[in-house]
Amino acid sequence: MRVPLSWLREYVDLPATETGRDVQAKLISAGLEVETVEQLGADLKGPLVVGQVLTIEELEGFKKPIRFCTVDVGQANGTGEPQEIVCGARNFAVGDKVVVVLPGATLPGGFSIAARKTYGKTSHGMICSTDELGMGDDGTHGIIVLPPETEVGKDAIELLELVDEVLDIAVTANRGDCLSIRGVARETAIGYGLPLRDPALIDVPGPNAFGYPVQVTDPHGCDRFTARTVTGLSPEARSPIWLQRRLQKVGMRPISLAVDVTNYVMMELGQPLHAYDRTLVQGTIGVRRAEEGEKLVTLDGVERKLHAEDLVITDDRGPIGLAGVMGGANTEIADHTDAGNGAAPTTDVVIEAAHFDAVSVARTGRRHKLLSEASRRFERGVDPQAAAAAAQRTVDLLVLLAGGTAEAGVTEVVAPSAPHTITLPADHPDKVAGVTYGRETVVRRLQEVGCDVYGQDELVVTVPSWRPDLTDPNDLAEEVIRLEGYENLPSTLPRPTAGRGLTHRQRLHRRVGRALAGAGYVEAPNYPFVSEQVFDHLGLEADDPARRVVKLVNPLNDEEPALRTTLLPGLLGALRRNDGRGSHDLALFETGLVFRPREEQPAAVHLTVDRRPTDEEIARLNAALPEQPRLVAAVLAGAREQAGWWGKGRPADWADAVEAARAVAGEAGADLIVRKGRYGPWHPGRCAELAVVVDGTEQVVGHAGELHPRVVKALGLPERTCAVELDLDALEAAGDGVPQAPGISTFPVATQDVALVVDKPVPAVEVEAALREGAGELLESIRLFDVYENADQLGDGRKSLAYALRFRATDRTLTVDEASAARDAAVALAGERTGAVLRG
């Protein structure tokens, strides 16, 4: 919500010395989030005056139309002579009143004006547009043309109210009252302890039988509807400058007088309004739910197919507007600028000021993907008691500015309702804040926000109509606390129960993150939403379980309506974005939950709020949720080791992805089994299948390696991108749980090398497992250090695997015979299981 300080001063007598920054501090102290204070015209310096165009000469021979004008600026130039100005705009004519900036002035942005030669003429100043003066959009995208009665030579800075301060407030969802100048003025008045001149406190005639006929058939969706009629509006009437400027300062574009007035009153009082061309409305105005399949063309020119839950405004033909969201094009107000389209200017209007159900408006807006200033206010809560005053204020302005006549008929359809009351112990705010405020302070603060308060120790509080967010005692306590100042609350350190810290699972997640970060990976958390098309890009089979997703009913993005079953889409998207922005050497990781629907998905139970749910109810609720295992994934591209004076660098490859998997498994204390695999997005010849043993059963927990070229191309990734993904929960289950410190022997190591010849299809990991088991407990470590293939020496289809075996005992120095015996036993078992024979 943008709030001009000049408009705010109309309702609160702020001290003349108070600046926008001062008001910002007061409002922030009261709990409003004032993001910025915009200084309009801070660097603007005159002379900036009103001029009248005397002559226009079209200059020929240039690529674009150029005009040489003489402009009467009165005595503003010191001579009284016409000012010669070159201008390229074409939306003004001889006799028009325009805004002229003279040499010596400075425009917003520090643009200094001086006489200069251009297009063969000397231009002594500029004829200004709204953009050049920082005024915002007025819809013309050209020169400002002022009303004919504007005095020549008048100071345009004052006339156009170019110098002002505008507070930009981020209004939270529960403070709909602050989406108006009235609401912010009330908060300002409270902050300064000054009286408020409430613009809604005006004389309003009571309803009678002569008003425009209205029929509300859904009182829940519309509990109040006020209709007023104004006739005889002048087709030539324009919005005055002050009205246009206030709309521009709050971020709205002036359109036409009738529309501008309704927008102005909405910003002033917070009550959305709509004006119908009376000649286009046929019969009684109604409020009802739409019939399935009905259609309506809204003011934005879009034909919308209505839903049965949409609340609509109708006449005898059918829908003429989406209630609380946007009006229909079939009753649109027309002004003199629409005459070329064959539309007669509107002279008679029906003013609608209604109160619609917030939930209904919100759902309709989201259903049609249509957000408007009106729906934004109705969703957050509008004062129903302000409808009549807003309609009267609109009527008064139309009569004043357009020469209209207000008809005596007043229509007001109201559903009976009682004011909301809350019983509040007088010391309840004290208990919530831990500060003793006292009854007098509590009553005073509640009365300042508009509450009626009765009682002594037990207060009966009647909530004002403009604060629908106040529903229980804690809301009232919050009002007292924020107005007394959050900064005045004492700082108290929490006292956690001794002996409670991170769980084993939480410690594992942190260790994994630190290990990957230490290996050069950068954590890149992503949103858990994906599109189902990404599984095609990843090359998953049609029956792959990862394709079974949980879909959101109301997704943030229609293109990503599903919850992720793998971490790779988000990580690869982050890698692609960073590569596109010039960062080509990348190593990213993420740990997070994925969502997998159960085979049988029971319906969720509805829990009551009047008691604690039973253990059975909680269990049934959890059973209705999808499975949510935690995974860890990492992706790599570009250089893994940079080149420099220390030597050559090397690119990231599949081995780095496998090494990342080993590091994660090591943190979990799990023995990772690495073997050749084939799955989805990975290259079939450069993919490792990763497994662990859980409760005696081998379980595949992930894959690592280089991505398939088709996947790289489909996702726009760098060449040879590598990735790894592991089930962290399965690794935790496979680990021993307690970190084990290695045993360190003081006796020397005995090293034995062995080269074994096996068939090429035999995985090295199987040979290593057999050697490890056969060597027994004396084996300290085993390492594959060479793979050799030569058909002439080894034979066709054979390869040599060379391993370094380290033997050590904890209680003695091993003899050569002991080490050799352990080696021979290892070779024997490897030969028995894999067909390996000693080379040579």
Side-chain angles (χ1 to χ4, degrees):
M1 175 69 190
R2 291 171 56 85
V3 180
L5 188 60
S6 60
W7 198 349
L8 197 62
R9 289 182 181 275
E10 284 199 6
Y11 310 124
V12 183
D13 289 327
L14 295 173
T17 56
E18 289 296 286
T19 66
R21 296 289 185 191
D22 299 326
V23 177
Q24 178 189 31
K26 287 287 186 182
L27 293 179
I28 290 176
S29 178
L32 295 185
E33 187 179 345
V34 185
E35 294 185 327
T36 59
V37 178
E38 185 179 351
Q39 306 288 334
L40 299 184
D43 51 355
L44 176 64
K45 185 180 74 172
L48 186 72
V49 298
V50 176
Q52 184 172 22
V53 180
L54 301 178
T55 64
I56 297 178
E57 177 188 350
E58 301 288 346
L59 301 182
E60 303 293 339
F62 299 103
K63 292 183 179 180
K64 61 179 181 179
I66 298 297
R67 312 167 95 186
F68 181 66
C69 311
T70 58
V71 185
D72 178 13
V73 294
Q75 296 299 317
N77 58 4
T79 64
E81 296 294 325
Q83 201 79 2
E84 296 179 340
I85 299 175
V86 176
C87 184
R90 308 190 66 78
N91 68 312
F92 64 96
V94 173
D96 283 346
K97 302 289 181 63
V98 294
V99 178
V100 178
V101 58
L102 300 177
T106 303
L107 294 182
F111 182 59
S112 299
I113 303 300
R116 66 189 184 98
K117 191 169 184 179
T118 179
Y119 296 104
K121 300 285 187 179
T122 300
S123 182
H124 299 272
M126 286 173 53
I127 302 176
C128 297
S129 67
T130 55
D131 289 339
E132 291 161 343
L133 296 180
M135 294 172 56
D137 184 14
D138 66 348
T140 65
H141 302 290
I143 293 302
I144 303 170
V145 179
L146 300 171
E149 63 273 13
T150 310
E151 178 185 350
V152 171
K154 184 178 178 63
D155 184 1
I157 296 178
E158 179 182 352
L159 174 70
L160 300 177
E161 302 177 15
L162 297 178
V163 179
D164 203 349
E165 294 181 272
V166 179
L167 288 74
D168 195 348
I169 304 175
V171 179
T172 54
N174 65 320
R175 292 303 304 272
D177 61 305
C178 288
L179 286 174
S180 66
I181 304 297
R182 178 196 184 200
V184 177
R186 181 179 290 107
E187 292 294 318
T188 305
I190 295 172
Y192 280 92
L194 296 171
L196 169 71
R197 287 189 293 274
D198 191 341
L201 295 180
I202 58 177
D203 292 333
V204 178
N208 53 50
F210 310 109
Y212 198 93
V214 173
Q215 183 178 10
V216 178
T217 58
D218 189 337
H220 174 73
C222 176
D223 57 9
R224 184 179 295 266
F225 195 107
T226 300
R228 300 289 298 276
T229 304
V230 181
T231 60
L233 300 179
S234 170
E236 301 301 321
R238 310 283 188 276
S239 298
I241 293 175
W242 65 267
L243 178 58
Q244 294 187 45
R245 287 297 294 132
R246 286 194 170 178
L247 290 177
Q248 289 172 334
K249 288 177 185 179
V250 298
M252 302 190 78
R253 179 171 64 87
I255 299 173
S256 64
L257 178 58
V259 175
D260 292 349
V261 167
T262 58
N263 286 338
Y264 177 85
V265 176
M266 176 180 67
M267 302 306 297
E268 182 181 55
L269 301 182
Q271 168 67 53
L273 300 111
H274 189 70
Y276 302 93
D277 188 326
R278 183 176 179 178
T279 62
L280 300 179
V281 179
Q282 298 181 9
T284 301
I285 291 179
V287 183
R288 62 168 172 82
R289 298 289 171 174
E291 297 176 4
E292 193 68 42
E294 281 187 309
K295 295 182 179 180
L296 170 68
V297 178
T298 46
L299 288 173
D300 57 359
V302 177
E303 183 179 80
R304 303 183 185 276
K305 186 176 181 180
L306 303 181
H307 188 275
E309 292 184 6
D310 291 338
L311 192 68
V312 293
I313 311 299
T314 65
D315 64 3
D316 290 350
R317 297 166 296 176
I320 60 174
L322 278 174
V325 181
M326 185 174 287
N330 51 358
T331 56
E332 183 179 5
I333 296 290
D335 65 3
H336 67 285
T337 60
D338 298 312
N341 301 328
T346 299
T347 57
D348 301 340
V349 297
V350 177
I351 306 299
E352 165 209 305
H355 185 261
F356 301 111
D357 176 60
V359 174
S360 175
V361 171
R363 288 177 176 172
T364 297
R366 283 158 178 73
R367 191 178 298 118
H368 294 281
K369 298 179 177 60
L370 185 59
L371 178 66
S372 65
E373 290 289 343
S375 66
R376 185 167 171 241
R377 284 161 176 77
F378 279 122
E379 288 177 19
R380 289 161 174 77
V382 169
D383 181 6
Q385 302 292 337
Q392 182 63 45
R393 179 85 166 117
T394 305
V395 168
D396 292 343
L397 287 173
L398 288 176
V399 170
L400 174 67
L401 302 177
T405 301
E407 289 194 353
V410 177
T411 303
E412 192 164 345
V413 180
V414 181
S417 63
H420 180 55
T421 60
I422 302 171
T423 301
L424 173 78
D427 61 348
H428 182 66
D430 301 2
K431 294 179 180 178
V432 172
V435 176
T436 302
Y437 292 122
R439 178 188 177 279
E440 290 185 2
T441 299
V442 171
V443 171
R444 175 172 57 84
R445 288 303 190 183
L446 293 178
Q447 288 175 339
E448 285 177 344
V449 299
C451 297
D452 290 330
V453 185
Y454 302 95
Q456 293 298 320
D457 295 336
E458 197 81 6
L459 303 179
V460 179
V461 181
T462 302
V463 175
S465 58
W466 56 82
R467 291 299 302 275
D469 58 305
L470 303 180
T471 59
D472 57 53
N474 285 333
D475 293 330
L476 299 179
E478 182 184 4
E479 291 300 296
V480 175
I481 295 167
R482 75 176 182 88
L483 294 179
E484 283 295 305
Y486 291 120
E487 68 276 10
N488 296 323
L489 293 177
S491 298
T492 305
L493 292 176
R495 297 179 180 178
T497 305
R500 295 191 178 185
L502 298 177
T503 65
H504 173 71
R505 189 185 191 199
Q506 291 169 330
R507 286 196 294 270
L508 172 60
H509 297 164
R510 293 195 178 190
R511 289 202 308 272
V512 167
R514 285 195 293 266
L516 290 174
Y521 291 82
V522 176
E523 188 169 13
N526 295 281
Y527 287 117
F529 312 117
V530 296
S531 67
E532 293 183 88
Q533 289 74 22
V534 76
F535 300 125
D536 297 329
H537 297 155
L538 291 176
L540 300 185
E541 299 291 340
D543 58 348
D544 194 297
R547 284 184 176 271
R548 295 183 62 243
V549 296
V550 177
K551 289 187 177 181
L552 300 175
V553 176
N554 187 21
L556 294 178
N557 183 352
D558 289 339
E559 296 181 359
E560 296 179 335
L563 292 174
R564 65 189 179 189
T565 56
T566 167
L567 301 180
L568 290 181
L571 269 181
L572 293 174
L575 185 140
R576 180 179 63 249
R577 285 192 300 274
N578 283 275
D579 180 71
R581 294 170 183 170
S583 298
H584 304 303
D585 303 325
L586 297 162
L588 310 177
F589 83 94
E590 179 181 9
T591 62
L593 301 179
V594 297
F595 306 85
R596 296 170 180 168
R598 303 177 188 271
E599 292 296 333
E600 295 183 3
Q601 195 76 23
V605 296
H606 292 281
L607 303 180
T608 61
V609 295
D610 58 343
R611 59 175 175 80
R612 183 190 182 279
T614 64
D615 293 341
E616 180 184 357
E617 288 174 332
I618 294 176
R620 289 173 58 195
L621 183 64
N622 288 333
L625 298 175
E627 295 179 356
Q628 300 177 50
R630 181 174 289 272
L631 306 189
V632 56
V635 294
L636 306 97
R640 185 63 177 146
E641 295 178 3
Q642 296 287 343
W645 58 265
W646 51 85
K648 294 181 179 180
R650 70 172 182 85
D653 60 16
W654 63 269
D656 293 304
V658 174
E659 187 58 31
R662 294 186 189 277
V664 171
E667 293 298 328
D671 294 326
L672 193 66
I673 301 171
V674 181
R675 58 180 174 237
K676 183 178 179 180
R678 182 168 185 166
Y679 177 70
W682 280 278
H683 191 296
R686 298 168 188 156
C687 173
E689 183 178 80
L690 310 173
V692 294
V693 177
V694 180
D695 298 331
T697 304
E698 189 175 287
Q699 177 180 341
V700 176
V701 295
H703 295 82
E706 182 181 318
L707 295 182
H708 198 290
R710 285 198 298 266
V711 174
V712 169
K713 182 178 180 180
L715 295 177
L717 302 173
E719 292 184 0
R720 311 299 292 269
T721 296
C722 300
V724 56
E725 186 170 44
L726 289 164
D727 187 330
L728 201 51
D729 289 347
L731 286 175
E732 181 184 6
D736 52 22
V738 179
Q740 298 291 331
I744 301 175
S745 174
T746 60
F747 295 94
V749 66
T751 303
Q752 297 273 357
D753 292 345
V754 58
L756 302 177
V757 178
V758 296
D759 292 335
K760 284 186 179 180
V762 176
V765 67
E766 292 184 9
V767 178
E768 179 180 325
L771 289 172
R772 187 183 298 277
E773 183 178 343
E777 62 182 12
L778 293 180
L779 181 67
E780 183 179 78
S781 67
I782 181 171
R783 179 175 62 87
L784 175 67
F785 67 85
D786 183 55
V787 178
Y788 177 70
E789 296 180 6
N790 188 312
D792 294 335
Q793 296 184 19
L794 304 177
D796 291 335
R798 304 281 280 176
K799 64 182 178 181
S800 171
L801 304 176
Y803 293 90
L805 287 72
R806 292 168 57 91
F807 298 96
R808 194 195 313 252
T810 59
D811 58 349
R812 69 188 187 281
T813 299
L814 294 178
T815 65
V816 173
D817 292 339
E818 286 178 312
S820 297
R823 182 203 63 183
D824 293 342
V827 172
L829 187 59
E832 178 183 336
R833 291 189 177 176
T834 66
V837 296
L838 280 172
R839 180 180 170 187

